[in-house]
Amino acid sequence: DHHVNYGAGSGLQDRVAFVHTDPGQYDASIRLADLQVSDTGTYQCRVKKNTVAVHEVIVTVQGEP
């Protein structure tokens, strides 16, 4: 359904977008812009076609020394 759940109070609404305008064409990649240390966490992509595929990615953001 081309839906992104940003999580309550995450501040990601303006910084997360699908890479392609139509993720229904078999590429639901997302882009995280302006990464911040507070963005560190586990991100999950859940794709529904005939079955449900779930992929989790752990993102660790570190500041410059």
Side-chain angles (χ1 to χ4, degrees):
D1 62 0
H2 304 194
H3 176 77
V4 176
N5 181 350
Y6 301 100
S10 67
L12 292 173
Q13 292 84 344
D14 297 327
R15 301 185 296 120
V16 175
F18 286 109
V19 172
H20 299 285
T21 55
D22 185 2
Q25 297 299 313
Y26 303 102
D27 186 349
S29 299
I30 60 171
R31 176 178 294 120
L32 299 172
D34 300 322
L35 287 173
Q36 303 167 11
V37 172
S38 60
D39 293 329
T40 295
T42 301
Y43 292 79
Q44 184 181 82
C45 178
R46 182 174 298 212
V47 179
K48 296 179 186 178
K49 277 293 194 185
N50 297 331
T51 60
V52 175
V54 177
H55 185 74
E56 287 188 356
V57 176
I58 297 173
V59 175
T60 303
V61 182
Q62 297 177 336
E64 291 185 30

